[in-house]
Structure formats: C-alpha cells, structure tokens
Amino acid sequence: MAERQIVIYGDPVLREVAKPIEEIDQEIKDLVSDMVDTIKEANGLGLAAPQVGESRRIFMVDLSAVDMTATLKVFINPEIIETEGEIELEEGCLSFPGIYQKITRSAHVKVRATDLDGSQFEIDADGILARAILHEYDHLEGKLFIDRISSIARTMLRGRLRKLSKTS
Ligand code: NI
C-alpha cells in the first residue's frame, strides 16, 4: 500500500465526528495499511484516520520510538470506558507540525476497541500510552489538542495557527 498525505490544521475533516466502522472489509484493511506506512514515515506516536482525510473511527498508536518493547496497535471503533487522575504533559500532533503544548488530560484510561481481526480488546493505560490514546480518540470526535489549551496560550499561537491553516 502507500503512504498518505497528512492533513494539516485548517482542513475541515479534522473537525468532523468520525463514522463508525461497520465491517472490517478490504477497504478498511487498505486504509489501516496506508496509515501504518504513514505513521512510520512521519515517525509519529499516534495517527487517526481523519488525519489522512478519512472520517472513520480508527486510530493507531506506535510508541516504539520511545519504548523498545512497544508495538504498533490499531484501535477500531474505540470507546473510552474509564478515566482517572489528571496530568500535564507536552504534546504534539502530526497535523500541527512544529507546535508543542502542555496539555492536561486524564492520567489513566481504560479503552475498549476492535482490532484488525475483528476481536475486541481492552487496554488499561497510563503514562505516554494513555496520553496517546486520549489524544487520538479526540481526533475521532473532531477535537484537537489546541482546544484544550488556555485562551492565553491559544492567543499566543494565533499567528502560527493561521499560517498552518493557510498551507492546508
Ligand atoms: Ni493529533
């Protein structure tokens, strides 16, 4: 398959609520395969389908760059079952090249999703994995990390965001 172009902030697809996957057919398998190529090429920790222009409820997390024991995981139709605690961590997003912001999110998350073989699984995550899951899940809801920063921080970013949205 092939790497796809990553959608940059300003593209309306990033604001859509993504549609559930009804069947893991060849089209979905091809999309996931393209997303794998795309996240690897971009050295991303996470990628959601809307970021390649497909408003579908799929995301993937690949922490192998920061944790040698980690493998890429695909989440289809994910549901957040439980969250706990709160922590501030710096985040970036492939749709916002060069922009990093401290964001407060839940410290722990329990997520249920379907894998590429159609099996349901649950993951209890902390740390950077929890962070990546919550960030990617937001993409499926049309939410972006800049929605979670203070209005002061957003004001300070305004010029850079405007520039990004012009390139998209
Ligand atoms: Ni992102």
Side-chain angles (χ1 to χ4, degrees), residues 49-80:
Q51 292 182 280
V52 294
E54 301 282 348
S55 191
R56 313 298 298 271
R57 299 190 81 81
I58 303 174
F59 68 73
M60 54 185 56
V61 170
D62 181 4
L63 300 184
S64 57
V66 289
D67 174 0
M68 272 170 53
T69 64
T71 52
L72 185 146
K73 210 153 186 56
V74 177
F75 297 73
I76 297 172
N77 294 334
E79 295 167 74
I80 304 289

Short mmCIF file of all heavy atoms in Angstrom, two decimals, residues 49-80:
data_model
loop_
_atom_site.label_atom_id
_atom_site.label_comp_id
_atom_site.label_asym_id
_atom_site.label_seq_id
_atom_site.Cartn_x
_atom_site.Cartn_y
_atom_site.Cartn_z
N ALA A 49 -7.50 8.23 11.62
CA ALA A 49 -7.91 8.20 10.21
C ALA A 49 -8.25 9.59 9.65
O ALA A 49 -7.89 9.88 8.51
CB ALA A 49 -9.07 7.22 10.02
N PRO A 50 -8.93 10.46 10.43
CA PRO A 50 -9.20 11.80 9.87
C PRO A 50 -7.93 12.54 9.45
O PRO A 50 -7.98 13.40 8.57
CB PRO A 50 -9.89 12.52 11.04
CG PRO A 50 -10.50 11.43 11.85
CD PRO A 50 -9.55 10.28 11.75
N GLN A 51 -6.80 12.18 10.06
CA GLN A 51 -5.55 12.86 9.71
C GLN A 51 -5.00 12.44 8.34
O GLN A 51 -4.06 13.06 7.85
CB GLN A 51 -4.48 12.60 10.77
CG GLN A 51 -4.81 13.27 12.10
CD GLN A 51 -3.70 13.02 13.08
OE1 GLN A 51 -3.63 11.95 13.67
NE2 GLN A 51 -2.81 13.99 13.24
N VAL A 52 -5.59 11.38 7.76
CA VAL A 52 -5.27 11.08 6.37
C VAL A 52 -6.50 11.33 5.50
O VAL A 52 -6.61 10.81 4.38
CB VAL A 52 -4.71 9.64 6.17
CG1 VAL A 52 -3.36 9.49 6.86
CG2 VAL A 52 -5.68 8.57 6.65
N GLY A 53 -7.43 12.12 6.03
CA GLY A 53 -8.58 12.56 5.24
C GLY A 53 -9.77 11.61 5.25
O GLY A 53 -10.71 11.80 4.50
N GLU A 54 -9.73 10.58 6.13
CA GLU A 54 -10.82 9.61 6.19
C GLU A 54 -11.53 9.74 7.53
O GLU A 54 -10.97 9.42 8.57
CB GLU A 54 -10.28 8.17 6.06
CG GLU A 54 -9.54 7.91 4.77
CD GLU A 54 -10.45 7.69 3.57
OE1 GLU A 54 -11.68 7.51 3.76
OE2 GLU A 54 -9.93 7.70 2.45
N SER A 55 -12.77 10.20 7.48
CA SER A 55 -13.50 10.43 8.72
C SER A 55 -14.12 9.13 9.23
O SER A 55 -15.33 8.92 9.19
CB SER A 55 -14.59 11.49 8.47
OG SER A 55 -15.11 11.90 9.71
N ARG A 56 -13.26 8.23 9.68
CA ARG A 56 -13.67 6.90 10.17
C ARG A 56 -13.07 6.70 11.55
O ARG A 56 -12.02 7.25 11.87
CB ARG A 56 -13.13 5.81 9.23
CG ARG A 56 -13.36 6.06 7.75
CD ARG A 56 -14.81 6.15 7.37
NE ARG A 56 -15.53 4.90 7.63
CZ ARG A 56 -15.64 3.91 6.75
NH1 ARG A 56 -15.05 3.98 5.58
NH2 ARG A 56 -16.32 2.83 7.04
N ARG A 57 -13.76 5.83 12.34
CA ARG A 57 -13.32 5.66 13.74
C ARG A 57 -12.20 4.62 13.85
O ARG A 57 -12.39 3.49 14.30
CB ARG A 57 -14.51 5.33 14.64
CG ARG A 57 -15.56 6.45 14.62
CD ARG A 57 -16.63 6.30 15.64
NE ARG A 57 -16.22 6.76 16.96
CZ ARG A 57 -16.22 8.03 17.34
NH1 ARG A 57 -16.58 9.00 16.53
NH2 ARG A 57 -15.85 8.34 18.57
N ILE A 58 -11.03 5.05 13.45
CA ILE A 58 -9.82 4.22 13.54
C ILE A 58 -8.66 5.11 13.97
O ILE A 58 -8.52 6.22 13.45
CB ILE A 58 -9.41 3.63 12.17
CG1 ILE A 58 -10.54 2.81 11.56
CG2 ILE A 58 -8.13 2.80 12.29
CD1 ILE A 58 -10.23 2.33 10.14
N PHE A 59 -7.88 4.62 14.93
CA PHE A 59 -6.60 5.28 15.17
C PHE A 59 -5.56 4.24 15.50
O PHE A 59 -5.88 3.07 15.75
CB PHE A 59 -6.68 6.39 16.24
CG PHE A 59 -6.95 5.96 17.66
CD1 PHE A 59 -5.98 5.33 18.42
CD2 PHE A 59 -8.17 6.24 18.26
CE1 PHE A 59 -6.21 4.98 19.74
CE2 PHE A 59 -8.42 5.89 19.59
CZ PHE A 59 -7.44 5.26 20.32
N MET A 60 -4.31 4.63 15.48
CA MET A 60 -3.23 3.73 15.86
C MET A 60 -2.23 4.48 16.73
O MET A 60 -2.11 5.70 16.64
CB MET A 60 -2.55 3.14 14.64
CG MET A 60 -2.06 4.15 13.65
SD MET A 60 -1.39 3.36 12.14
CE MET A 60 -2.75 2.37 11.57
N VAL A 61 -1.57 3.69 17.58
CA VAL A 61 -0.56 4.23 18.47
C VAL A 61 0.68 3.39 18.28
O VAL A 61 0.60 2.16 18.22
CB VAL A 61 -1.06 4.19 19.94
CG1 VAL A 61 0.06 4.51 20.90
CG2 VAL A 61 -2.24 5.14 20.14
N ASP A 62 1.82 4.04 18.13
CA ASP A 62 3.08 3.32 17.97
C ASP A 62 4.14 4.00 18.83
O ASP A 62 4.69 5.02 18.45
CB ASP A 62 3.50 3.34 16.49
CG ASP A 62 4.80 2.57 16.26
OD1 ASP A 62 5.32 1.97 17.24
OD2 ASP A 62 5.30 2.58 15.13
N LEU A 63 4.39 3.40 19.99
CA LEU A 63 5.34 4.01 20.92
C LEU A 63 6.73 3.40 20.78
O LEU A 63 7.57 3.58 21.65
CB LEU A 63 4.83 3.88 22.36
CG LEU A 63 3.47 4.54 22.64
CD1 LEU A 63 3.13 4.43 24.11
CD2 LEU A 63 3.45 6.00 22.21
N SER A 64 6.97 2.69 19.69
CA SER A 64 8.27 2.00 19.57
C SER A 64 9.45 2.98 19.55
O SER A 64 10.57 2.59 19.90
CB SER A 64 8.29 1.11 18.33
OG SER A 64 8.01 1.85 17.17
N ALA A 65 9.20 4.23 19.18
CA ALA A 65 10.29 5.22 19.18
C ALA A 65 10.72 5.58 20.59
O ALA A 65 11.86 5.99 20.80
CB ALA A 65 9.85 6.47 18.42
N VAL A 66 9.80 5.45 21.56
CA VAL A 66 10.14 5.82 22.93
C VAL A 66 10.20 4.61 23.87
O VAL A 66 10.66 4.71 25.01
CB VAL A 66 9.13 6.86 23.50
CG1 VAL A 66 9.33 8.21 22.83
CG2 VAL A 66 7.70 6.40 23.37
N ASP A 67 9.71 3.46 23.40
CA ASP A 67 9.69 2.26 24.23
C ASP A 67 9.97 1.06 23.32
O ASP A 67 9.14 0.67 22.50
CB ASP A 67 8.31 2.13 24.90
CG ASP A 67 8.16 0.82 25.67
OD1 ASP A 67 9.10 0.01 25.70
OD2 ASP A 67 7.08 0.62 26.25
N MET A 68 11.16 0.48 23.48
CA MET A 68 11.59 -0.58 22.57
C MET A 68 10.69 -1.81 22.62
O MET A 68 10.67 -2.61 21.69
CB MET A 68 13.03 -0.99 22.87
CG MET A 68 14.02 -0.12 22.10
SD MET A 68 15.73 -0.35 22.62
CE MET A 68 15.91 -2.12 22.48
N THR A 69 9.95 -1.99 23.71
CA THR A 69 9.10 -3.17 23.83
C THR A 69 7.72 -2.94 23.21
O THR A 69 6.92 -3.86 23.10
CB THR A 69 8.91 -3.58 25.31
OG1 THR A 69 8.20 -2.51 25.98
CG2 THR A 69 10.24 -3.79 26.00
N ALA A 70 7.45 -1.70 22.82
CA ALA A 70 6.12 -1.37 22.32
C ALA A 70 5.96 -1.77 20.85
O ALA A 70 6.91 -1.73 20.08
CB ALA A 70 5.86 0.12 22.48
N THR A 71 4.75 -2.15 20.49
CA THR A 71 4.45 -2.44 19.09
C THR A 71 3.25 -1.60 18.67
O THR A 71 2.49 -1.13 19.50
CB THR A 71 4.09 -3.93 18.89
OG1 THR A 71 3.07 -4.27 19.81
CG2 THR A 71 5.30 -4.81 19.09
N LEU A 72 3.12 -1.42 17.38
CA LEU A 72 2.01 -0.62 16.86
C LEU A 72 0.67 -1.31 17.18
O LEU A 72 0.54 -2.51 17.01
CB LEU A 72 2.18 -0.45 15.35
CG LEU A 72 1.19 0.46 14.65
CD1 LEU A 72 1.89 1.18 13.51
CD2 LEU A 72 -0.03 -0.28 14.14
N LYS A 73 -0.25 -0.51 17.65
CA LYS A 73 -1.57 -1.06 17.98
C LYS A 73 -2.67 -0.28 17.24
O LYS A 73 -2.66 0.94 17.22
CB LYS A 73 -1.79 -0.95 19.49
CG LYS A 73 -2.66 -2.06 19.96
CD LYS A 73 -2.48 -2.47 21.39
CE LYS A 73 -3.31 -3.69 21.71
NZ LYS A 73 -3.07 -4.86 20.87
N VAL A 74 -3.59 -1.05 16.64
CA VAL A 74 -4.68 -0.44 15.88
C VAL A 74 -5.96 -0.50 16.72
O VAL A 74 -6.29 -1.54 17.30
CB VAL A 74 -4.90 -1.22 14.56
CG1 VAL A 74 -6.09 -0.65 13.79
CG2 VAL A 74 -3.64 -1.19 13.71
N PHE A 75 -6.66 0.62 16.79
CA PHE A 75 -7.91 0.72 17.55
C PHE A 75 -9.03 1.06 16.57
O PHE A 75 -9.04 2.13 15.97
CB PHE A 75 -7.83 1.84 18.59
CG PHE A 75 -6.78 1.64 19.66
CD1 PHE A 75 -5.42 1.80 19.37
CD2 PHE A 75 -7.14 1.33 20.97
CE1 PHE A 75 -4.46 1.64 20.36
CE2 PHE A 75 -6.18 1.17 21.96
CZ PHE A 75 -4.83 1.31 21.66
N ILE A 76 -9.98 0.13 16.43
CA ILE A 76 -11.14 0.36 15.56
C ILE A 76 -12.37 0.53 16.46
O ILE A 76 -12.55 -0.24 17.41
CB ILE A 76 -11.32 -0.83 14.59
CG1 ILE A 76 -10.09 -0.92 13.66
CG2 ILE A 76 -12.60 -0.68 13.77
CD1 ILE A 76 -10.06 -2.17 12.79
N ASN A 77 -13.19 1.51 16.17
CA ASN A 77 -14.37 1.85 16.98
C ASN A 77 -14.05 1.91 18.48
O ASN A 77 -14.74 1.29 19.29
CB ASN A 77 -15.50 0.84 16.75
CG ASN A 77 -16.05 0.90 15.34
OD1 ASN A 77 -15.98 1.93 14.67
ND2 ASN A 77 -16.61 -0.21 14.88
N PRO A 78 -13.02 2.63 18.88
CA PRO A 78 -12.64 2.66 20.29
C PRO A 78 -13.68 3.36 21.16
O PRO A 78 -14.38 4.26 20.70
CB PRO A 78 -11.34 3.47 20.27
CG PRO A 78 -11.46 4.34 19.08
CD PRO A 78 -12.19 3.51 18.05
N GLU A 79 -13.78 2.88 22.39
CA GLU A 79 -14.64 3.53 23.39
C GLU A 79 -13.80 3.76 24.63
O GLU A 79 -13.10 2.84 25.08
CB GLU A 79 -15.78 2.61 23.82
CG GLU A 79 -16.77 2.24 22.76
CD GLU A 79 -17.64 1.08 23.28
OE1 GLU A 79 -18.50 1.33 24.15
OE2 GLU A 79 -17.39 -0.06 22.86
N ILE A 80 -13.91 4.94 25.18
CA ILE A 80 -13.25 5.23 26.46
C ILE A 80 -14.21 4.76 27.56
O ILE A 80 -15.32 5.25 27.66
CB ILE A 80 -12.97 6.74 26.61
CG1 ILE A 80 -12.14 7.27 25.44
CG2 ILE A 80 -12.32 7.04 27.96
CD1 ILE A 80 -10.71 6.83 25.39
#
